[in-house]
Amino acid sequence: MNAIDLLKQQHREVDVLFERASRAKPGEKVSLLGQLAEKLTLHARIEEQHFYPFARSKGIQDMVDHSLQEHAEAKRLIANLLQSKRNDPRLDSELQKLQQSVQQHVKEEEEKLFPRLSGVATAEELDGLGDTLQQSADELSNQELLQMAENEGAALPPVQS
């Protein structure tokens, strides 16, 4: 699968989880937050390790730098959510902040970064990158992802509201 199609597919999976989490009861919400943390951490990891370096190699430095800043914000928000208690009254507002942050990031990637990269990369390059992204994703276990989500986000400065 082409790298851009793979990343878009992951975006849609996260959209579904956000929708389910926004309607879930507290007990189910915590489980869905864990799933969201895993999917978002996996997505960020493969973008940061493979997709963004490829985009940089194609001369798209400015958009990559901006995307990395957005990833840092999302990681902080994920860490905050994972540290929240089931009955924390801020849980829904923190989830909403994360959803808005991720949706803005996805919109920018899909409307700006992906088309720009498609204009400078060959179909063969994008297919090969897609294979690399999928292989990297397959190698990460869920346990590793939750630990990464908590550790990476907690190590960053707090989100400014």
Side-chain angles (χ1 to χ4, degrees):
M1 178 183 292
N2 149 326
I4 292 172
D5 292 338
L6 175 68
L7 295 175
K8 284 182 177 181
Q9 178 184 342
Q10 290 178 348
H11 290 166
R12 300 299 79 79
E13 291 169 3
V14 168
D15 288 343
V16 169
L17 284 173
F18 273 123
E19 181 60 32
R20 287 180 56 205
S22 70
R23 293 182 281 128
K25 294 180 179 160
E28 183 187 6
K29 189 171 293 208
V30 171
S31 172
L32 290 167
L33 292 177
Q35 292 176 45
L36 266 167
E38 289 170 358
K39 288 214 179 275
L40 290 169
T41 300
L42 170 80
H43 183 78
R45 177 60 58 112
I46 66 173
E47 280 188 334
E48 291 167 9
Q49 286 183 341
H50 306 289
F51 187 77
Y52 293 157
F54 177 78
R56 273 195 176 116
S57 77
K58 295 295 185 180
I60 307 177
Q61 180 71 34
D62 56 336
M63 296 179 95
V64 169
D65 290 343
H66 180 71
S67 290
L68 288 169
Q69 291 172 350
E70 291 176 335
H71 276 204
E73 177 183 351
K75 287 176 185 179
R76 286 188 293 268
L77 291 167
I78 290 167
N80 290 346
L81 273 169
L82 291 174
Q83 294 167 5
S84 296
K85 303 293 182 232
R86 181 178 300 213
N87 297 319
D88 188 329
R90 297 169 295 169
L91 192 63
D92 288 331
S93 67
E94 291 297 315
L95 176 61
Q96 189 174 28
K97 283 182 196 175
L98 177 62
Q99 184 174 6
Q100 290 171 346
S101 174
V102 169
Q103 286 175 336
Q104 179 62 34
H105 174 71
V106 165
K107 182 178 183 198
E108 289 174 6
E109 278 190 342
E110 292 187 2
E111 292 180 2
K112 297 176 183 173
L113 177 59
F114 292 172
R116 191 165 158 197
L117 186 60
S118 291
V120 295
T122 67
E124 293 79 18
E125 288 174 320
L126 291 173
D127 287 343
L129 180 59
D131 292 342
T132 300
L133 293 175
Q134 186 62 60
Q135 181 179 1
S136 182
D138 292 343
E139 291 171 359
L140 292 169
S141 76
N142 290 343
Q143 181 63 28
E144 290 172 323
L145 291 170
L146 274 178
Q147 288 174 345
M148 280 187 249
E150 282 196 63
N151 296 336
E152 289 178 0
L156 295 166
V159 176
Q160 301 297 318
S161 298

